[in-house]
Amino acid sequence: AVKPPIYQNLHLGLFEIGKPLGKGKFGRVYLARHRDSGYICALKVLNKDEISREAAETHVRREIEVHSNLRHPGVLGFYGWFHDSRRIFLILEYAAGGELYRVLQREGRFSERRAAKYVAQVTLSLLYLHGKNIMHRDMKPENILLGLHGELKLADFGYSVHAPSNRRDTLCGTLDYLPPEMIQSREVSYTKAVDQWTLGVLTYEFLTGQPPFEDTVALTRRRIVNRDMKPLPSFISSEAKDFVNSSFFITQLSYQDGHARAGESRSQVPIPQAASEYSTSGPDRDD
Ligand SMILES: Clc1ccc(CN2CCN(c3c(Br)cnc4[nH]c(-c5ccc(CN6CCOCC6)cc5)nc34)CC2)cc1
């Protein structure tokens, strides 16, 4: 027999569940409305069994720990969480514009003006996160949402950590957005330069519709380590080309020196010699 409502999940009973907004690794996200206030939100419902099966407890714990302490217009709102015997529920801001990668897929690529607006917004969100000594580490169009007025919102803090960090999380999913230091096998400590590199990858993808190092898995790895970016198409302005290139070289520099040397123009920045300068040695890590 169906249990009387009082015994069902008290918190869940506070919400009316609407259309599913998407499926992910450990669960789904639904449009939801808080009954008393009428407030519209996105309810991320994670399945505990699937989380345990993938040994992703730390991933989820970190997502809640980090995300619940953030409050910024360029970061998807996190309003709270609750759980029952089978599921974990995250109460998140509803981004009315949906996922940025769907917009990019639909439009092919963005104009330089629109790309510049998005890069500026992601930069402000990153400045906020880095100011709190947090690296996102998993920035990609799939994890960027659009608000009602087309403003960008960073989401999914499952891979975020406090800088610097030498965690060796298992990296899964695409390598396209990861900088050399995160895919080379040596034990390294990640700095915030990780997110700066990814901003360069995002800029390239906004302008062309493809990530700069996209290739077969093995060749993507080699391209990234050698900073062997696929050439930008001729329709890209020289200023945009310079911006994308600098984010890969300045990042390499700041990573090497362990501190940001922002503001240094390219002419003063020693540009690496041949690609051979970067060792591609060391056992490949395919976790
Ligand atoms: Cl566990 C998990 C489950 C699913 C996902 C993938 N998405 C992560 C982001 N999700 C959303 C979140 Br969180 C917060 N607000 C959202 N708003 C939307 C959304 C909003 C509107 C639409 C409809 N489109 C909007 C653009 O025009 C065409 C119609 C589609 C999606 N998705 C989310 C949706 C699901 C990630 C992890």
Side-chain angles (χ1 to χ4, degrees):
V2 174
K3 283 186 178 175
I6 189 68
Y7 295 109
Q8 282 170 0
N9 184 312
L10 203 60
H11 294 93
L12 186 54
L14 298 176
F15 293 92
E16 282 158 4
I17 309 298
K19 68 173 182 175
L21 293 171
K23 245 166 75 59
K25 195 161 186 186
F26 305 119
R28 292 168 183 267
V29 175
Y30 297 89
L31 187 60
R33 180 184 20 228
H34 185 250
R35 283 188 208 285
D36 298 353
S37 62
Y39 196 81
I40 295 292
C41 57
L43 204 59
K44 189 171 188 178
V45 185
L46 304 173
N47 181 296
K48 286 186 176 178
D49 289 345
E50 280 167 43
I51 292 172
S52 310
R53 201 172 309 129
E54 304 278 330
E57 289 88 345
T58 45
H59 181 103
V60 174
R61 193 170 298 117
R62 196 178 302 157
E63 178 173 359
I64 294 174
E65 265 165 22
V66 170
H67 203 168
S68 56
N69 287 300
L70 303 177
R71 202 173 310 287
H72 185 274
V75 172
L76 192 73
F78 183 104
Y79 305 134
W81 68 285
F82 54 91
H83 64 109
D84 63 14
S85 56
R86 295 181 295 115
R87 298 162 293 183
I88 296 172
F89 301 84
L90 308 186
I91 311 166
L92 301 169
E93 175 184 357
Y94 169 65
E99 297 167 320
L100 184 65
Y101 87 94
R102 287 195 192 286
V103 178
L104 185 54
Q105 257 175 356
R106 196 173 57 225
E107 318 235 348
R109 59 184 170 88
F110 297 140
S111 70
E112 292 198 12
R113 167 181 293 278
R114 186 169 176 184
K117 194 182 78 174
Y118 286 165
V119 169
Q121 289 183 46
V122 173
T123 302
L124 291 175
S125 304
L126 280 183
L127 281 173
Y128 168 73
L129 291 178
H130 291 180
K132 294 173 81 80
N133 214 22
I134 290 167
M135 303 181 285
H136 186 282
R137 290 203 317 162
D138 190 23
M139 274 201 317
K140 51 191 173 191
E142 287 80 348
N143 290 338
I144 300 176
L145 299 172
L146 285 158
L148 197 57
H149 309 293
E151 68 280 21
L152 293 193
K153 296 184 179 279
L154 289 191
D156 203 334
F157 289 84
Y159 280 100
S160 58
V161 286
H162 289 86
S165 150
N166 55 8
R167 294 172 198 278
R168 288 183 60 111
D169 305 281
T170 54
L171 295 172
C172 56
T174 173
L175 289 174
D176 281 324
Y177 303 89
L178 298 180
E181 64 267 24
M182 278 185 78
I183 61 173
Q184 277 167 318
S185 55
R186 291 191 308 275
E187 181 72 33
V188 291
S189 88
Y190 308 137
T191 65
K192 297 169 185 173
V194 167
D195 288 334
Q196 286 156 12
W197 171 281
T198 307
L199 189 59
V201 175
L202 274 178
T203 309
Y204 185 106
E205 186 164 4
F206 289 163
L207 292 169
T208 67
Q210 308 297 329
F213 305 106
E214 190 176 48
D215 212 313
T216 62
V217 172
L219 283 181
T220 297
R221 193 189 300 274
R222 188 174 309 280
R223 280 185 176 277
I224 290 172
V225 169
N226 294 341
R227 287 168 177 75
D228 173 18
M229 183 177 85
K230 289 191 293 190
L232 278 159
S234 54
F235 58 76
I236 300 291
S237 72
S238 56
E239 294 84 353
K241 273 195 178 85
D242 202 41
F243 178 86
V244 171
N245 285 321
S246 67
S247 68
F248 293 134
F249 289 112
I250 293 231
T251 296
Q252 180 253 335
L253 202 76
S254 61
Y255 162 62
Q256 268 177 349
D257 298 356
H259 61 274
R261 285 174 52 175
E264 196 140 342
S265 76
R266 260 162 65 83
S267 56
Q268 298 155 311
V269 170
I271 299 300
Q273 311 310 323
S276 59
E277 183 185 3
Y278 301 112
S279 68
T280 53
S281 62
D284 272 357
R285 212 176 54 175
D286 277 322
D287 49 10

